[in-house]
Amino acid sequence: MAAANGKHWVMLVAGSKTWDNYRHQADVCHAYQIVHQNGIPDEQIVVMMYDDIANNDHNPTPGKIINNPNGPNVYTGVPKDYTGGDVTPENFLAALKGEPKKNCLKKVLRSGRNDTIFIYLSDHGSTGLFCFPNSTLYAHDLIETIKEMARGNKFSKMVIYMESCHSGSMFTQLPNDIHVYAVTAARGDQSSYACYLDPERNTYLADEFSAFWMYYTESSNLDKVTFRDQFSYLQGNMKNSTPCCFGDETTGKNPISGFLRNTPKVIQESTKAQKLVLTHLTHAHEVSSKILDHKIETETHAGRKQVLIKKRETLHQTKAKIERTVKAISQRCLPASEVEDISGGAFRSGSRMDLLALKTVAEHFRTTCFDWHKEEFQMALSHTHVFARLCAHGVEVERIIEAITAVSSLPTEHHP
């Protein structure tokens, strides 16, 4: 925990935008309410969120965001430290290090050797990457930044919680000797899960991992429980994905209050009384299609229904195109007998990745073939494991880059 004269710093990041991704900003707003009610001052909290949900045209309660059915407004008082186009990996890493970009007057962490840092991120992810609204945070850059901060004595201890698919792949190379402990929503080869499909809002309100860790935090005496205790609770209650922990186990044995202060007793008691029952648990990769299906089912106007059906057909065609493209890239890198083994399934959680090589290849694929930050290509995210496998298989980065470039220049009908 922080030294007697140390401060508690908190960084909360929602990496997505658009109404379909409502839950990520709702998660972060709820996390803010927790640390705020625990007494951490706003000057020690940095919030990054696109802020296109509370006053969205689809919101039946303008100016309000909820994180569970009929729940309280979690948008109240949330600081607007970084919004819109300022929600970027570059600004996140700069704010984390306490080194704002040139001419930037926005809030950053001013942490020092006696301070603790708690980081929570929620969005989409894939093998070795976490998404921001229009760009990507790669595991390589995150791990290098953490190591740089450790060398610079920017904290005494750090805890990171990440809600995203394949989030376990972000921390496989986190050192275990720099007092940093990370907990993820899923293994490196798993999806995370959304929950609470709201029929009025036609979107999901929360995520499974986040709902559980926040419930535990609000219902517990944080002076008496540790992050390892909370991790055991997550392991015992999450039924769809497997939470994982990385880094320094001794940091995980610290009381949670050493980072988040303690939850007021009245809130502990009221939270326990509510219980926690998650509904509509949905594989994160299926969320957009489930929402679209619900729109089609409930749309009564014939013309608008046909537009939605056409959109669904287009998304299916795009998915098939992405799959053909990735397979064609693999075929240019490997013998035919090895292509199916590379393409099938997800990158194994325990496999060793060259993080810089993965970043180089994945970013070339994103900028050359399918930009997964665009709604129609978001499903391309789930295929980055193929590039991780190619790198792990010993295929040179230059060869993969050449294959991506060559396939991207071919007419779609020429893809195998």
Side-chain angles (χ1 to χ4, degrees):
M1 65 185 69
N5 60 342
K7 292 182 177 180
H8 306 294
W9 295 89
V10 174
M11 192 153 194
L12 308 173
V13 180
S16 66
K17 61 181 178 179
T18 76
W19 187 254
D20 281 5
N21 292 316
Y22 181 109
R23 65 193 188 277
H24 300 132
Q25 293 185 56
D27 290 341
V28 161
C29 288
H30 188 177
Y32 166 77
Q33 300 301 336
I34 290 173
V35 297
H36 177 74
Q37 74 194 8
N38 287 9
I40 297 179
D42 281 359
E43 57 263 29
Q44 291 167 215
I45 305 170
V46 175
V47 178
M48 304 185 81
M49 56 184 285
Y50 204 80
D51 198 25
D52 61 343
I53 299 301
N55 295 299
N56 194 290
D57 290 342
H58 295 292
N59 194 350
T61 56
K64 297 181 179 180
I65 295 176
I66 61 175
N67 197 216
N68 55 66
N70 302 311
N73 176 21
V74 294
Y75 188 65
T76 302
V78 176
K80 308 296 196 313
D81 297 316
Y82 294 82
T83 60
D86 289 327
V87 182
T88 67
E90 294 78 15
N91 281 340
F92 164 67
L93 296 176
L96 183 58
K97 291 188 291 184
E99 300 173 358
K101 295 171 67 177
K102 188 176 181 181
N103 300 322
C104 178
L105 301 177
K106 293 184 178 294
K107 193 193 304 181
V108 299
L109 301 191
R110 301 291 184 185
S111 58
R113 66 172 66 244
N114 295 320
D115 300 342
T116 63
I117 299 175
F118 177 82
I119 305 167
Y120 168 59
L121 307 99
S122 179
D123 191 16
H124 299 286
S126 189
T127 306
L129 64 89
F130 177 88
C131 287
F132 276 68
N134 300 303
S135 50
T136 306
L137 173 66
Y138 287 94
H140 172 269
D141 299 328
L142 177 59
I143 298 301
E144 290 304 310
T145 296
I146 292 169
K147 291 192 291 188
E148 178 186 342
M149 292 176 68
R151 290 191 298 269
N153 296 312
K154 293 293 185 72
F155 58 86
S156 64
K157 293 179 176 63
M158 178 189 293
V159 170
I160 308 170
Y161 274 34
M162 181 175 283
E163 171 75 68
S164 75
C165 292
H166 311 286
S167 44
S169 66
M170 290 292 288
F171 298 102
T172 57
Q173 295 181 34
L174 177 67
N176 61 9
D177 59 353
I178 58 173
H179 306 297
V180 180
Y181 179 71
V183 179
T184 65
R187 296 195 314 254
D189 57 355
Q190 281 185 324
S191 170
S192 59
Y193 279 73
C195 59
Y196 300 139
L197 177 59
D198 186 290
E200 183 181 17
R201 293 167 177 79
N202 193 31
T203 192
Y204 289 80
L205 303 180
D207 293 282
E208 180 188 30
F209 168 75
S210 296
F212 276 121
W213 84 252
M214 290 190 219
Y215 178 82
Y216 184 93
T217 300
E218 290 193 283
S219 63
S220 302
N221 180 343
L222 303 185
D223 286 333
K224 296 183 177 181
V225 294
T226 68
F227 287 104
R228 282 296 307 180
D229 294 330
Q230 186 172 74
F231 183 71
S232 295
Y233 169 82
L234 293 169
Q235 286 180 305
N237 286 276
M238 291 176 62
K239 306 301 182 185
N240 296 282
S241 59
T242 305
C244 296
C245 61
F246 302 86
D248 179 24
E249 290 286 342
T250 59
T251 296
K253 295 176 182 177
N254 279 273
I256 297 175
S257 61
F259 290 74
L260 304 181
R261 296 191 177 177
N262 204 357
T263 303
K265 191 168 183 178
V266 64
I267 293 175
Q268 292 179 39
E269 294 173 349
S270 63
T271 303
K272 287 178 184 176
Q274 293 170 13
K275 303 299 182 183
L276 181 65
V277 180
L278 304 187
T279 60
H280 309 101
L281 284 157
T282 302
H283 191 292
H285 291 159
E286 298 175 358
V287 164
S288 293
S289 61
K290 292 284 187 182
I291 291 174
L292 183 56
D293 288 345
H294 187 260
K295 288 179 180 177
I296 292 171
E297 291 170 8
T298 57
E299 181 56 67
T300 57
H301 186 277
R304 289 194 291 267
K305 184 185 281 283
Q306 280 304 120
V307 170
L308 292 171
I309 291 173
K310 179 63 176 176
K311 180 179 180 180
R312 182 167 63 185
E313 293 172 351
T314 300
L315 287 175
H316 284 255
Q317 292 167 1
T318 301
K319 180 181 179 182
K321 179 180 178 181
I322 292 169
E323 290 171 349
R324 291 196 302 271
T325 300
V326 172
K327 184 175 182 179
I329 293 168
S330 298
Q331 289 174 330
R332 285 175 176 265
C333 295
L334 293 170
S337 60
E338 299 179 25
V339 170
E340 290 303 322
D341 180 58
I342 287 289
S343 300
F347 187 77
R348 292 187 302 276
S349 186
S351 301
R352 181 75 175 179
M353 286 187 287
D354 181 332
L355 297 181
L356 182 56
L358 176 61
K359 173 187 175 181
T360 302
V361 171
E363 193 64 9
H364 187 66
F365 175 76
R366 183 187 72 80
T367 56
T368 305
C369 297
F370 303 101
D371 185 354
W372 50 70
H373 298 296
K374 296 180 180 179
E375 181 183 4
E376 64 268 30
F377 297 139
Q378 186 175 302
M379 63 192 76
L381 260 179
S382 63
H383 294 279
T384 60
H385 73 273
V386 173
F387 304 122
R389 284 186 166 194
L390 288 172
C391 292
H393 203 73
V395 181
E396 294 182 352
V397 170
E398 292 76 11
R399 184 175 181 183
I400 305 173
I401 294 290
E402 289 174 1
I404 293 171
T405 302
V407 171
S408 69
S409 66
L410 293 174
T412 303
E413 60 268 21
H414 290 172
H415 293 179

